[in-house]
Tab-separated table of all heavy atoms in Angstrom:
chain	number	residue	atom	x	y	z
A	46	ARG	N	198.135	19.561	183.311
A	46	ARG	CA	198.681	20.737	182.617
A	46	ARG	C	199.390	21.663	183.597
A	46	ARG	O	200.494	22.155	183.327
A	46	ARG	CB	197.552	21.514	181.928
A	46	ARG	CG	196.920	20.848	180.736
A	46	ARG	CD	195.883	21.777	180.101
A	46	ARG	NE	195.076	21.047	179.126
A	46	ARG	CZ	193.768	20.846	179.220
A	46	ARG	NH1	193.095	21.336	180.265
A	46	ARG	NH2	193.124	20.174	178.286
A	50	ARG	N	203.317	22.593	183.522
A	50	ARG	CA	203.706	23.994	183.357
A	50	ARG	C	204.599	24.448	184.518
A	50	ARG	O	205.620	25.122	184.319
A	50	ARG	CB	202.465	24.881	183.286
A	50	ARG	CG	202.785	26.365	183.059
A	50	ARG	CD	201.533	27.206	183.116
A	50	ARG	NE	200.883	27.092	184.422
A	50	ARG	CZ	199.573	26.914	184.596
A	50	ARG	NH1	198.775	26.799	183.557
A	50	ARG	NH2	199.063	26.837	185.811
A	76	GLU	N	191.199	19.417	172.891
A	76	GLU	CA	192.017	19.723	174.072
A	76	GLU	C	193.383	20.295	173.710
A	76	GLU	O	194.094	20.807	174.576
A	76	GLU	CB	192.229	18.442	174.898
A	76	GLU	CG	190.962	17.793	175.407
A	76	GLU	CD	190.429	18.460	176.661
A	76	GLU	OE1	191.140	19.318	177.225
A	76	GLU	OE2	189.311	18.126	177.071
A	77	THR	N	193.765	20.209	172.448
A	77	THR	CA	195.140	20.549	172.053
A	77	THR	C	195.484	21.997	172.366
A	77	THR	O	196.580	22.289	172.862
A	77	THR	CB	195.344	20.282	170.553
A	77	THR	OG1	194.772	19.026	170.207
A	77	THR	CG2	196.824	20.289	170.208
A	78	GLY	N	194.576	22.914	172.063
A	78	GLY	CA	194.853	24.319	172.307
A	78	GLY	C	195.117	24.607	173.772
A	78	GLY	O	196.062	25.324	174.117
A	79	ALA	N	194.276	24.057	174.651
A	79	ALA	CA	194.470	24.261	176.090
A	79	ALA	C	195.781	23.646	176.556
A	79	ALA	O	196.495	24.216	177.404
A	79	ALA	CB	193.297	23.669	176.864
A	80	ASP	N	196.115	22.478	176.010
A	80	ASP	CA	197.385	21.844	176.369
A	80	ASP	C	198.565	22.736	175.993
A	80	ASP	O	199.464	22.988	176.811
A	80	ASP	CB	197.529	20.497	175.647
A	80	ASP	CG	196.547	19.443	176.117
A	80	ASP	OD1	196.005	19.584	177.234
A	80	ASP	OD2	196.327	18.474	175.367
A	81	LEU	N	198.587	23.184	174.743
A	81	LEU	CA	199.718	23.968	174.265
A	81	LEU	C	199.782	25.337	174.925
A	81	LEU	O	200.869	25.858	175.184
A	81	LEU	CB	199.663	24.094	172.744
A	81	LEU	CG	199.793	22.771	171.973
A	81	LEU	CD1	199.672	23.018	170.474
A	81	LEU	CD2	201.104	22.067	172.289
A	82	GLU	N	198.637	25.932	175.194
A	82	GLU	CA	198.625	27.214	175.903
A	82	GLU	C	199.330	27.093	177.251
A	82	GLU	O	200.057	28.001	177.671
A	82	GLU	CB	197.188	27.679	176.111
A	82	GLU	CG	197.081	29.022	176.814
A	82	GLU	CD	195.647	29.451	177.001
A	82	GLU	OE1	194.743	28.581	176.994
A	82	GLU	OE2	195.409	30.675	177.146
A	83	ALA	N	199.147	25.958	177.913
A	83	ALA	CA	199.736	25.759	179.236
A	83	ALA	C	201.220	25.447	179.187
A	83	ALA	O	201.981	25.888	180.059
A	83	ALA	CB	198.995	24.636	179.956
A	84	VAL	N	201.673	24.698	178.166
A	84	VAL	CA	203.022	24.130	178.243
A	84	VAL	C	204.037	24.751	177.292
A	84	VAL	O	205.248	24.540	177.461
A	84	VAL	CB	202.992	22.603	178.032
A	84	VAL	CG1	202.038	21.945	179.020
A	84	VAL	CG2	202.635	22.231	176.598
A	85	VAL	N	203.600	25.503	176.281
A	85	VAL	CA	204.568	26.143	175.385
A	85	VAL	C	205.085	27.391	176.086
A	85	VAL	O	204.599	28.505	175.895
A	85	VAL	CB	203.940	26.465	174.015
A	85	VAL	CG1	204.930	27.234	173.139
A	85	VAL	CG2	203.527	25.170	173.307
A	86	VAL	N	206.071	27.159	176.939
A	86	VAL	CA	206.666	28.199	177.769
A	86	VAL	C	208.187	28.043	177.702
A	86	VAL	O	208.700	26.997	177.268
A	86	VAL	CB	206.180	28.093	179.228
A	86	VAL	CG1	204.679	28.349	179.321
A	86	VAL	CG2	206.526	26.737	179.832
A	109	LEU	N	199.321	26.884	166.013
A	109	LEU	CA	199.124	26.928	167.458
A	109	LEU	C	200.428	27.212	168.191
A	109	LEU	O	200.484	28.067	169.096
A	109	LEU	CB	198.528	25.604	167.942
A	109	LEU	CG	197.069	25.328	167.583
A	109	LEU	CD1	196.723	23.867	167.830
A	109	LEU	CD2	196.143	26.233	168.395
A	112	HIS	N	201.719	30.773	167.770
A	112	HIS	CA	200.905	31.703	168.559
A	112	HIS	C	201.327	31.690	170.028
A	112	HIS	O	201.546	32.756	170.634
A	112	HIS	CB	199.428	31.334	168.438
A	112	HIS	CG	198.536	32.092	169.379
A	112	HIS	ND1	198.221	33.418	169.194
A	112	HIS	CD2	197.906	31.696	170.529
A	112	HIS	CE1	197.426	33.826	170.181
A	112	HIS	NE2	197.218	32.800	170.999
A	113	PHE	N	201.459	30.497	170.598
A	113	PHE	CA	201.771	30.416	172.022
A	113	PHE	C	203.244	30.709	172.317
A	113	PHE	O	203.560	31.181	173.425
A	113	PHE	CB	201.335	29.063	172.583
A	113	PHE	CG	199.846	28.906	172.638
A	113	PHE	CD1	199.199	27.888	171.944
A	113	PHE	CD2	199.062	29.813	173.346
A	113	PHE	CE1	197.818	27.761	171.979
A	113	PHE	CE2	197.678	29.692	173.390
A	113	PHE	CZ	197.052	28.663	172.706
A	116	ARG	N	203.098	34.464	172.510
A	116	ARG	CA	202.320	34.893	173.675
A	116	ARG	C	203.052	34.620	174.980
A	116	ARG	O	203.003	35.437	175.909
A	116	ARG	CB	200.981	34.169	173.661
A	116	ARG	CG	200.079	34.485	174.847
A	116	ARG	CD	198.729	33.852	174.629
A	116	ARG	NE	197.928	33.867	175.829
A	116	ARG	CZ	196.683	33.408	175.900
A	116	ARG	NH1	196.106	32.910	174.817
A	116	ARG	NH2	196.008	33.452	177.027
A	117	ASN	N	203.742	33.469	175.052
A	117	ASN	CA	204.338	33.037	176.317
A	117	ASN	C	205.846	33.237	176.404
A	117	ASN	O	206.453	32.889	177.422
A	117	ASN	CB	204.016	31.553	176.561
A	117	ASN	CG	202.525	31.290	176.667
A	117	ASN	OD1	201.739	32.203	176.904
A	117	ASN	ND2	202.128	30.035	176.485
Side-chain angles (χ1 to χ4, degrees):
R46 290 184 192 117
R50 182 185 60 225
E76 300 279 351
T77 316
D80 292 340
L81 296 178
E82 181 180 22
V84 305
V85 175
V86 296
L109 288 166
H112 171 73
F113 291 120
R116 178 173 168 178
N117 299 341

